[in-house]
Amino acid sequence: MAFIEPAPGQAEKGIGTITIVKLLTPAELDGKCDMYAKVIVPPLCGIGVHQHVGNTETYHILSGHALYNDNGKEVEIGAGMTTFCPDGETHGIKNTSKTEDLVFMALIIRK
């Protein structure tokens, strides 16, 4: 479990405590990726808006509903949808449900 604090340059603090289940070890990622994980965000919690520098991040939503912040533009997303944050851009995500976890896969690829 990880409490989400703003990273350097992060515009917004996360809300609550999330679970990150890393599916591959650093050796298995072979220096090409920083993370491949299943992320579980409890109801009304979220990951604050943050910038990606030197990498990209993709979320693929497995279950739940969220408000996704894409460079300041907020859109509603749900199961089966995929987001992509390019190098140098910002994103964040909030679980909008009061009862259901938000579950997604996260992939961070180095540039």
Side-chain angles (χ1 to χ4, degrees), residues 2-13:
F3 182 74
I4 303 304
E5 285 291 335
Q10 185 167 331
E12 178 184 306
K13 182 177 175 178

Side-chain angles (χ1 to χ4, degrees), residues 40-101:
I40 303 164
V41 182
L44 303 176
C45 293
I47 299 171
V49 174
H50 57 282
Q51 182 179 31
H52 280 268
V53 178
N55 60 38
T56 65
E57 186 166 26
T58 300
Y59 295 160
H60 179 73
I61 310 302
L62 299 174
S63 63
H65 294 88
L67 190 60
Y68 181 73
N69 186 310
D70 182 9
N71 285 296
K73 179 182 176 188
E74 292 186 326
V75 294
E76 291 186 28
I77 60 173
M81 297 181 80
T82 302
T83 68
F84 179 74
C85 182
D87 184 20
E89 295 191 15
T90 63
H91 72 153
I93 192 166
K94 293 179 186 174
N95 183 348
T96 55
S97 173
K98 293 181 181 178
T99 59
E100 181 182 13
D101 285 345

Side-chain angles (χ1 to χ4, degrees), residues 17-21 38-42 45 95 101-104:
T17 301
I18 68 169
T19 301
I20 299 174
V21 181
K38 179 179 175 181
V39 180
I40 303 164
V41 182
C45 293
N95 183 348
D101 285 345
L102 171 66
V103 182
F104 62 91

